[in-house]
Amino acid sequence: MNATGYFTHRDCWKHEMGAGHPECPERLDAIEDRLLITGVGDALVRREAPQAPLGDIELAHDRMLVAAIRGLCDQLADDITAGGPAYAQIDPDTSLNVHTWNAALRAAGAVIAATDSVLAGEMENAFCAVRPPGHHAERNKAMGFCFFNNIAIAAKYALERHGLKRVAIVDFDVHHGNGTENILSGDDRVLMVSFFQHPFFPYSGFEGHASNMVNLPVPAYTKGMDVRELIEMMWIPRLEEFKPEMIFISAGFDAHREDDMGQMGLVEQDYAWITQRIKDVAKRHSKGRIVSSLEGGYNLSALARSVEAHIRVLADL
Ligand SMILES: [Zn+2]
């Protein structure tokens, strides 16, 4: 009952966006290696991620977007057979290969299956080691390394399919989760709390947001101690008042001091502290129920150490 699940699938390694792209399969290798050599992996309940049913993905996305991504993957396979390029570009940073469709279905399927397992009481919480990540994907738009918004899908799934009345989303990636906000803004069954470097990609989230969004834009070079103080003042009271029945985490680790994708100053202990504070809220209001899913984190060593710190707290190790 107090177990922590670990959901992933080999298909998540097969999606890649070209040589030298920071959102690379080696990110998952770094995490797996770290969990193996530290023994942390032995304490987790390891599960294969199923493919998400399209009807569940369409809880958060328009059918047209889902069909478009599938169509691009199919078209790409045909083009490659005819001698064409190996990638189809969606935006300057984001492209798909022939495996992207299956990887995206597994990534969304992981968070859905983790949600089922946690709500069934098979485990207390779970971490999904998946890619592509999700929090930049909007209802109608794939962007910023993201195709389907895994966490938004899981939140909607918990509300619509399991009948929960209140779920919280915590996003500690260095970038604003514009996609999650786009999908869930104004839905009072959801409370989303986040911080993000500002001004910074995707240049959103700093003005005019709905009352169910607690957005904390912070300047470059903000350190962990300042982030902790903001969380204590701005996130925790709102979460306590909201009393979520379940908490979802968009777990990006690119606010780490060693991660050059962003310019913030968090370290492993900060991720452990944030996770513990979320866990405290979950213990009080949510029967401990947390599903966390990988978003960013591009310095492989810092990513692996930070995920370990995050999982150690989730699993009480
Ligand atoms: Zn990020």
Side-chain angles (χ1 to χ4, degrees):
M1 173 60 202
N2 287 327
T4 292
Y6 182 86
F7 290 73
T8 189
H9 193 280
R10 287 311 299 182
D11 285 352
C12 293
W13 270 256
K14 295 179 183 168
H15 158 70
E16 48 88 22
M17 298 188 279
H21 197 292
E23 205 292 278
C24 58
E26 289 77 14
R27 299 174 64 229
L28 296 180
D29 286 328
I31 292 169
E32 295 275 348
D33 286 355
R34 184 83 196 173
L35 297 180
L36 187 69
I37 59 174
T38 55
V40 167
D42 295 336
L44 307 176
V45 178
R46 201 180 168 95
R47 296 272 174 88
E48 287 261 287
Q51 293 189 333
L54 299 192
D56 292 339
I57 293 173
E58 288 165 6
L59 291 170
H61 292 286
D62 276 2
R63 188 165 290 183
M64 289 297 286
L65 174 77
V66 179
I69 292 172
R70 180 178 220 165
L72 279 169
C73 264
D74 290 346
Q75 181 66 46
L76 184 65
D78 291 346
D79 291 351
I80 289 171
T81 309
Y87 304 96
Q89 205 82 15
I90 291 205
D91 69 31
D93 304 320
T94 313
S95 54
L96 41 81
N97 71 357
V98 285
H99 302 292
T100 301
W101 172 253
N102 281 335
L105 291 186
R106 297 288 181 185
V111 284
I112 288 171
T115 300
D116 284 337
S117 294
V118 167
L119 283 170
E122 294 163 26
M123 48 186 72
E124 184 179 14
N125 54 41
F127 180 76
C128 301
V130 293
R131 41 186 303 284
H135 76 152
H136 293 308
E138 300 186 346
R139 180 170 286 281
N140 291 313
K141 188 180 179 188
M143 60 174 275
F145 313 167
C146 301
F147 298 86
F148 299 142
N149 195 315
N150 307 317
I151 282 293
I153 291 166
K156 292 280 275 188
Y157 179 83
L159 294 166
E160 307 289 343
R161 305 277 197 251
H162 283 282
L164 297 194
K165 293 184 174 60
R166 291 177 313 282
V167 302
I169 295 175
V170 174
D171 186 330
F172 56 68
D173 191 277
V174 78
H175 302 97
H176 173 235
N178 62 292
T180 317
E181 175 160 341
N182 168 264
I183 292 163
L184 297 169
S185 179
D187 186 338
D188 290 327
R189 300 170 301 173
V190 180
L191 176 70
M192 178 175 178
V193 300
S194 71
F195 66 80
F196 48 88
Q197 184 178 324
H198 170 76
F200 197 42
F201 180 88
Y203 305 99
S204 55
F206 52 93
E207 59 185 6
H209 43 80
S211 60
N212 68 323
M213 296 283 146
V214 179
N215 293 8
L216 305 179
V218 297
Y221 309 111
T222 301
K223 290 197 167 64
M225 279 304 164
D226 297 316
V227 168
R228 293 188 196 194
E229 201 170 320
L230 276 171
I231 287 173
E232 208 63 77
M233 282 193 308
M234 311 295 287
W235 285 9
I236 302 299
R238 286 293 299 274
L239 287 166
E240 292 285 353
E241 177 190 39
F242 186 69
K243 299 182 173 56
E245 295 169 284
M246 183 159 184
I247 301 179
F248 294 92
I249 305 179
S250 266
F253 299 92
D254 42 7
H256 195 284
R257 189 170 65 195
E258 294 167 27
D259 198 310
D260 294 332
M261 187 70 80
Q263 286 79 40
M264 283 181 65
L266 273 63
V267 293
E268 293 87 310
Q269 293 91 323
D270 296 312
Y271 291 113
W273 184 90
I274 295 170
T275 309
Q276 187 61 56
R277 293 301 280 126
I278 300 166
K279 199 172 170 181
D280 294 342
V281 174
K283 288 269 188 212
R284 270 195 291 282
H285 302 293
S286 327
K287 301 179 184 167
R289 300 190 284 221
I290 298 172
V291 169
S292 175
S293 189
L294 182 65
E295 301 282 1
Y298 304 98
N299 176 303
L300 299 183
S301 171
L303 169 66
R305 285 180 273 124
S306 301
V307 169
E308 180 203 344
H310 178 58
I311 289 180
R312 276 189 187 278
V313 175
L314 287 178
D316 277 325
L317 298 174

